[in-house]
Amino acid sequence: MKDMCNAVQGLKPTLLMVVVQISFAGLNVLYKLAVNDGMNLRIVVAYRFIFATAFIAPLALIVERKKRAKMTWTIMFQSFLSGLFGGVLAQNFYLVALALTSATFASAMSNLTPAITFIMAVSFGLERLNLRTRAGKAKILGTLTGIGGAMVLTFVKGVEIKMGSFHVNLLHHQNGAYHHASAGGKTILGALCVLASCISYALWLIIQAKMSKTYPSHYSSTALMSLWGSLLSTVFALCLERDWNQWRLGWNIRLLTVAYSGMVVSGVMVAVISWCILMRGPLFASVFSPLVLVMVALAGSMMLNEQLHLGCIIGAVLIVCGLYVVLWGKSKEMQKKNQLVPSQSPHESNTVEIVVRSSIEDKSNHNNNNTHDNAANVVRDNEDLSADNGHEEHGAHVHN
């Protein structure tokens, strides 16, 4: 039972990151529906972080009221950068790419995040190449395999794969802001927007890794990031969108999208990602992003009337293989670190302490030892006499 609990505890970061990617896949579908409904992209991002702040801030005040780390100007600046890169820039660039292309394409291109994160993590000293070890080679090979799979999925189509569907097409009409652009121009512009989103998200992971060490209050850090994100994204949206009708939310797909993206994704899931980054590092969190691609490709084919080609299947397989190779490399590194910690104790126990004392101290210690021995003998004799008397009294009571 204890071994099972330890196994579940070790798999907790992996299982939580899978749940995170499932929630992200659902968000991609909702984003596409909101964009198709004509909702302004910048307003979607603003409402997302407003809902996230309203949800996570009270939770942080209640849960971490007694164990919250001390706030400093450095942490405040890091939270501002988190809101800027992980909030405003990453989300706005990604939503523009989602409107220009498809949910599957945007998810496929977002798989550049592990490679960009790995390069940045090595540059900032958070990851090591370790080309001489199998774990280091596995991380590099897995990252390159994931990038190759994303490229195959993006640029190779092949024959169309007919899959079963729910016979439900949620995209009934097209009234997005980017509908009139040409197909080639949309693809190139969408790819550039996703690339900018990946760079911003990778920078956010690096900042979170730094911030988690000095401020390990995950709910509070998420609330700070959401607060900065809501302020920055609202100002950005108000500067570019003056139509107040766009800000109205009814009981429709728009309210569902911003509420789900704010409370579930930006609220709960960002706190989960911060905890996983603290436990395993930024690269571990980023390599799970290819799972979104597989889920979105299936959902897009079944519910959004998106075509699924052979290149998509091959690319998805390569991406998942690269994911597992990187995870294997990370697990080997974690095992090696865990083995190095207890191995230091035997070497410490073999150390010999040499004490140099003068002959006068030795004689005084010898006399003191003789005195202590004599006193101990007297006490021991008294204890023996009292013990004999006790036995005699006990025998008398038993006999009576």
Side-chain angles (χ1 to χ4, degrees), residues 103 222 330:
T222 304
K330 287 296 293 183

Side-chain angles (χ1 to χ4, degrees), residues 46-64:
Y47 269 125
R48 169 177 176 169
F49 288 104
I50 291 174
F51 273 79
T53 305
F55 175 77
I56 200 67
L59 187 62
L61 292 175
I62 295 173
V63 176
E64 298 176 342

Side-chain angles (χ1 to χ4, degrees), residues 174-343:
Q174 295 286 341
N175 53 1
Y178 303 94
H179 180 62
H180 300 288
S182 62
K186 288 195 299 182
T187 301
I188 297 174
L189 185 58
L192 293 177
C193 289
V194 177
L195 180 62
S197 177
C198 292
I199 295 174
S200 301
Y201 187 74
L203 286 173
W204 175 76
L205 290 174
I206 300 298
I207 295 170
Q208 283 297 113
K210 295 287 187 181
M211 188 176 178
S212 297
K213 295 180 180 179
T214 57
Y215 194 73
S217 303
H218 305 301
Y219 292 105
S220 299
S221 63
T222 304
L224 286 173
M225 191 202 80
S226 300
L227 178 61
W228 282 114
S230 61
L231 292 175
L232 294 174
S233 59
T234 301
V235 171
F236 180 67
L238 288 174
C239 292
L240 298 178
E241 181 58 55
R242 302 296 178 87
D243 186 7
W244 291 105
N245 293 323
Q246 286 285 341
W247 291 85
R248 294 179 180 177
L249 296 176
W251 295 98
N252 49 24
I253 190 64
R254 300 188 180 192
L255 178 61
L256 177 61
T257 300
V258 296
Y260 177 83
S261 63
M263 292 186 291
V264 178
V265 178
S266 291
V268 178
M269 295 304 159
V270 169
V272 172
I273 293 174
S274 299
W275 182 83
C276 292
I277 290 174
L278 179 63
M279 296 299 294
R280 298 294 178 87
L283 181 62
F284 178 85
S286 67
V287 295
F288 280 87
S289 57
L291 293 180
V292 179
L293 169 61
V294 181
M295 300 172 188
V296 170
L298 295 176
S301 177
M302 294 180 179
M303 293 183 292
L304 301 179
N305 198 26
E306 294 182 357
Q307 295 180 352
L308 190 63
H309 297 274
L310 180 62
C312 180
I313 302 296
I314 297 175
V317 171
L318 291 175
I319 288 170
V320 173
C321 291
L323 167 66
Y324 286 123
V325 172
V326 175
L327 287 178
W328 181 86
K330 287 296 293 183
S331 65
K332 290 298 181 182
E333 283 189 350
M334 294 297 294
Q335 291 177 2
K336 186 176 180 180
K337 290 181 181 179
N338 293 332
Q339 290 174 358
L340 287 177
V341 174
S343 64

Side-chain angles (χ1 to χ4, degrees), residues 31-39 171 173 175-176 252-254:
Y31 269 166
K32 192 66 178 179
L33 295 178
V35 170
N36 184 76
D37 192 59
M39 189 174 185
L171 299 180
H173 56 278
N175 53 1
N252 49 24
I253 190 64
R254 300 188 180 192

Side-chain angles (χ1 to χ4, degrees), residues 51-93:
F51 273 79
T53 305
F55 175 77
I56 200 67
L59 187 62
L61 292 175
I62 295 173
V63 176
E64 298 176 342
R65 64 183 183 275
K66 295 182 180 180
K67 57 181 181 179
R68 187 180 296 107
K70 184 179 179 180
M71 178 61 62
T72 61
W73 287 108
T74 302
I75 296 173
M76 185 64 69
F77 180 67
Q78 289 175 343
S79 64
F80 169 77
L81 294 179
S82 296
L84 177 63
F85 291 107
V88 179
L89 296 180
Q91 296 302 318
N92 276 285
F93 279 126

